[in-house]
Amino acid sequence: MQIAITTRHGSISPEAQELIREKSEKLLTYFARVTSINVTVSFEHHRATVEILVDAEHKHDFVATDTGDDVIAVFHAALHKMEQQIHKYKEKVQDHKGGPTAADVAMLPADGEK
């Protein structure tokens, strides 16, 4: 899996880059089919915009963006949005057609009843 961190119109410290890389890797715990993660940090008018693009197998890119004053806080907010998108997609594709539902069990007659 590849993680690319790019900046526009400014730069971020190596410590911030390492933090972004570590936190981005944790997206794999939510969805194992992630193939690449691109984090773009843009600076305009003393504000930072963070855009996270996650490419997963058999799915188009997930995209999350946020804007604010502090790069790390903005990254965390965008990462939270990304986690929610991945959770929602994973719930959607999982098979929930396993056993009987609670309503089906409630409708069954108890032992000894007809």
Side-chain angles (χ1 to χ4, degrees):
M1 188 207 45
Q2 300 174 348
I3 298 176
I5 301 170
T6 57
T7 59
R8 294 184 195 153
H9 310 295
S11 63
I12 55 176
S13 68
E15 294 84 16
Q17 286 184 7
E18 188 59 32
L19 177 81
I20 289 171
R21 186 174 314 281
E22 288 175 9
K23 296 288 186 173
S24 297
E25 286 176 355
K26 291 187 179 184
L27 289 175
L28 286 173
T29 60
Y30 299 115
F31 195 61
R33 294 182 175 179
V34 172
T35 56
S36 69
I37 300 172
N38 296 317
V39 180
T40 305
V41 181
S42 300
F43 295 98
E44 294 181 22
H45 306 292
H46 305 290
R47 293 184 55 84
T49 301
V50 175
E51 179 181 62
I52 303 174
L53 289 146
V54 175
D55 187 27
E57 291 178 7
H58 310 294
K59 173 69 177 132
H60 297 294
D61 288 347
F62 296 100
V63 180
T65 61
D66 203 11
T67 303
D69 295 326
D70 182 31
V71 174
I72 300 302
V74 172
F75 170 73
H76 284 298
L79 187 65
H80 181 69
K81 290 178 183 180
M82 181 59 65
E83 290 168 356
Q84 288 180 333
Q85 285 183 35
I86 291 174
H87 277 287
K88 185 175 179 180
Y89 176 72
K90 191 173 178 180
E91 281 292 317
K92 186 174 141 184
V93 299
Q94 282 181 339
D95 183 20
H96 293 287
K97 299 176 186 174
T101 64
D104 293 338
V105 173
M107 297 301 289
L108 293 175
D111 291 334
E113 293 180 13
K114 290 189 176 187

